[in-house]
């Protein structure tokens, strides 16, 4: 059985999808199967390091990227399928070629955000991208997604034309050394800060987290700090960073809420290892990688009752009401005041994190690939 894995999108992929693609490629190499021969469209490390289309700003640059992507999906990738005589094509970036192919297709649709939150995307781009997704779901195509919540959401928008399988993904394998000086540079003490790591996309509800933290400080009179690490939202429509910066000033939280910006893997490890708790108030997620990452580092997690996060944490996190500032503040206060609760969450989280291993991730793919 010959399987072609499309890794072209790594030249622009960020956050969750990049992690998914890199960890899938690594798992393929780490856990080979005697009945499956894998072919990578690109070397994952080289493609991920390609800077050609990263950080494009002008309309011409964006147009060139879209033309390059379209050319790859509709001409070069089908040619690769023919060249390697692939039995299965896996596209982990939502889109499969519109062209007719002789092989079976497995297309990963990570979430239903494009349908659920149209306000977060430019209208023309969303229309174009959804058209590509739908046109690629043809012939012998199956969808893979990350949670039962995402599966149900996708079904509600695409119907049951294509079978959908749920395969839980894995967090990034961070093997770099810890930047032990990073926490000191930020001026925070170990176990005296809450942390959130990720972009400032609107769906992450980070302004709400800032307001909840302000309430937490007012009611506890503690020296805790809040670290919001990560870059701006992926578009002007999705970016809450300016709102968070304004809130910090309005609520007089300078020096209390810290924005270190983009952080390296070594700095992420330092943030995790020194955190009192991870807070994830997102209003919509397809999976929620940071929950698994934090639990794996032995950090208690507070997360919203958004269905995918509840599914992933499976009772190992402290749940707050989505969009409720005071409830989130109360959960933060509860965790800070009850050491036994914190220790229980740490133990449950470490156990839950074991369910998201690279070995299980690739085993589920292998099982699906060999099912027909």
């Amino acid at each position: 059985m010959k399987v072609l894995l499309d890794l072209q999108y790594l030249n622009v992929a960020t956050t969750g999808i990049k992690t998914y693609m890199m960890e899938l490629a690594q798992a393929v190499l780490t856990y080979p199967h005697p009945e499956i021969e894998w072919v990578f469209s690109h070397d994952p490390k080289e493609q991920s390091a390609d800077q050609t289309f990263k950080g494009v700003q002008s309309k011409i640059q964006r147009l060139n990227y879209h033309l390059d992507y379209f050319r790859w999906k509709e001409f070069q990738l089908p040619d690769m399928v023919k060249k390697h005589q692939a039995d299965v094509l896996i596209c982990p970036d939502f889109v499969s070629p519109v062209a007719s192919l002789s092989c079976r297709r497995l297309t990963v649709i990570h979430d239903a955000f494009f349908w659920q939150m149209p306000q977060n995307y430019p209208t023309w781009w969303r229309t174009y991208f959804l058209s590509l997704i739908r046109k690629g779901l043809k012939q012998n195509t199956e969808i893979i997604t990350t949670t039962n919540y995402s599966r149900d959401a996708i079904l509600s928008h695409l119907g049951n034309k294509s079978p959908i399988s749920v395969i839980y993904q894995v967090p990034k394998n961070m093997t770099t050394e810890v930047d032990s000086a990073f926490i000191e540079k930020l001026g925070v003490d170990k176990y005296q800060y809450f942390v959130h790591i990720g972009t400032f996309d609107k769906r992450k509800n980070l302004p709400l987290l800032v307001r909840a933290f302000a309430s937490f400080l007012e009611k506890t009179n503690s020296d805790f700090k809040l670290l919001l690490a990560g870059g701006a939202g992926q578009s002007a429509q999705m970016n809450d960073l300016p709102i968070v910066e304004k809130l910090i000033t309005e609520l007089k939280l300078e020096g209390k809420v810290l924005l270190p910006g983009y952080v390296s893997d070594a700095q992420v490890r330092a943030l995790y290892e020194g955190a009192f708790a991870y807070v994830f108030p997102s209003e919509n997620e397809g999976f929620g990688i940071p929950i698994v990452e934090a639990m794996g580092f032995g950090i208690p997690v507070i997360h919203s009752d958004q269905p995918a996060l509840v599914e992933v944490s499976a009772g190992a996190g402290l749940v707050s009401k989505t969009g409720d500032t005071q409830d989130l503040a109360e959960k933060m206060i509860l965790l800070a005041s009850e050491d036994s609760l914190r220790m229980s969450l740490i133990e449950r989280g470490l156990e839950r994190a074991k369910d998201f291993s690279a070995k299980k991730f690739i085993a589920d793919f292998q099982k699906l690939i060999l099912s027909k």
Side-chain angles (χ1 to χ4, degrees):
M1 178 78 69
K2 187 175 287 189
V3 180
L4 174 60
L5 178 59
D6 176 11
L7 296 174
Q8 192 266 356
Y9 188 67
L10 276 174
N11 66 345
V12 294
T14 59
T15 59
I17 295 181
K18 179 179 180 180
T19 297
Y20 191 102
M21 295 175 72
M22 294 295 287
E23 294 306 315
L24 177 56
Q26 185 57 52
V28 164
L29 300 174
T30 305
Y31 302 103
H33 193 286
E35 297 179 44
I36 301 175
E37 178 187 350
W38 289 85
V39 178
F40 290 176
S41 67
H42 300 75
D43 178 275
K45 291 184 178 179
E46 290 181 5
Q47 187 68 359
S48 177
D50 184 359
Q51 297 295 312
T52 305
F53 295 110
K54 283 189 171 73
V56 296
Q57 298 296 326
S58 72
K59 290 183 179 180
I60 295 297
Q61 288 174 318
R62 288 195 291 272
L63 177 61
N64 285 337
Y65 165 69
H66 289 302
L67 289 173
D68 182 76
Y69 184 81
F70 182 83
R71 183 166 55 246
W72 166 257
K73 284 289 182 181
E74 304 308 331
F75 298 100
Q76 294 169 285
L77 184 56
D79 283 346
M80 269 196 97
V81 170
K82 294 177 184 177
K83 175 184 176 182
H84 293 282
Q85 297 183 324
D87 300 294
V88 180
L89 170 65
I90 298 179
C91 294
D93 61 339
F94 290 83
V95 176
S96 177
V98 174
S100 296
L101 302 175
S102 58
C103 66
R104 178 181 168 207
R105 311 174 190 219
L106 300 177
T107 301
V108 183
I109 299 182
H110 298 258
D111 49 60
F113 295 165
F114 300 113
W115 293 279
Q116 294 171 322
M117 298 181 291
Q119 71 277 8
N120 287 352
Y121 306 95
T123 301
W124 70 269
W125 182 87
R126 176 178 171 274
T127 301
Y128 165 72
F129 197 69
L130 286 179
S131 174
L132 286 182
I133 292 174
R134 288 181 182 276
K135 289 178 179 178
L137 297 176
K138 58 191 295 185
Q139 297 176 306
N140 191 12
T141 301
E142 298 160 59
I143 296 171
I144 296 172
T145 193
T146 55
T147 56
N148 292 299
Y149 164 74
S150 289
R151 179 195 60 199
D152 293 344
I154 292 166
L155 276 171
S156 71
H157 292 282
L158 289 179
N160 57 4
K161 177 182 176 182
S162 301
I164 303 180
S165 298
V166 174
I167 296 179
Y168 285 148
Q169 64 189 95
V170 291
K172 189 174 185 178
N173 182 22
M174 287 181 279
T175 56
T176 56
E177 291 186 6
V178 179
D179 184 351
S180 54
F182 184 59
I183 299 299
E184 186 177 341
K185 289 177 184 176
L186 291 174
V188 295
D189 297 323
K190 269 194 169 186
Y191 315 124
Q192 290 295 304
Y193 62 88
F194 295 96
V195 67
H196 178 280
I197 302 172
T199 59
F200 283 74
D201 285 354
K202 287 188 180 298
R203 64 184 173 84
K204 300 292 184 179
N205 265 344
L206 295 181
L208 178 141
L209 175 52
V210 172
R211 292 188 182 96
F213 181 64
S215 180
F216 167 85
L217 290 180
E218 182 182 351
K219 293 177 180 179
T220 62
N221 196 30
S222 73
D223 293 326
F224 274 75
K225 294 186 180 180
L226 173 63
L227 270 63
L228 304 177
Q234 296 182 13
S235 71
Q237 291 161 286
M238 297 168 64
N239 183 25
D240 264 349
L241 180 56
I243 295 173
V244 168
E245 291 173 332
K246 185 179 179 181
L247 265 179
I248 292 172
T249 301
E250 290 177 352
L251 298 174
K252 297 181 172 55
L253 292 173
E254 295 92 340
K256 291 289 187 179
V257 178
L258 307 180
L259 309 177
Y262 174 82
V263 285
S264 66
D265 285 355
Q267 292 168 338
V268 168
R269 290 193 63 182
L271 288 175
Y272 277 141
E273 292 189 1
F276 176 80
Y278 192 95
V279 190
F280 203 29
S282 182
E283 70 178 31
N284 200 359
E285 294 292 329
F287 182 81
I289 286 177
I291 282 185
V292 181
E293 283 183 344
M295 288 179 174
F297 275 90
I299 305 169
V301 173
I302 303 173
H303 63 80
S304 65
D305 59 5
Q306 191 273 334
L309 302 183
V310 173
E311 180 180 340
V312 170
S313 72
L318 187 58
V319 181
S320 67
K321 297 175 184 176
T322 302
D324 191 323
T325 303
Q326 285 310 307
D327 188 60
L328 179 56
E330 288 169 9
K331 294 301 190 298
M332 296 168 76
I333 293 168
L334 180 64
L335 191 62
S337 60
E338 294 191 15
D339 191 57
S340 60
L341 172 62
R342 184 170 184 272
M343 296 309 298
S344 174
L345 288 172
I346 289 172
E347 291 175 8
R348 282 183 274 162
L350 286 168
E351 194 61 31
R352 178 57 174 162
K354 294 177 184 177
D355 294 331
F356 303 93
S357 67
K359 188 173 184 179
K360 188 176 186 309
F361 183 42
I362 192 60
D364 288 344
F365 262 97
Q366 291 165 346
K367 182 179 178 180
L368 184 59
I369 289 166
L370 296 172
S371 65
K372 291 184 180 180

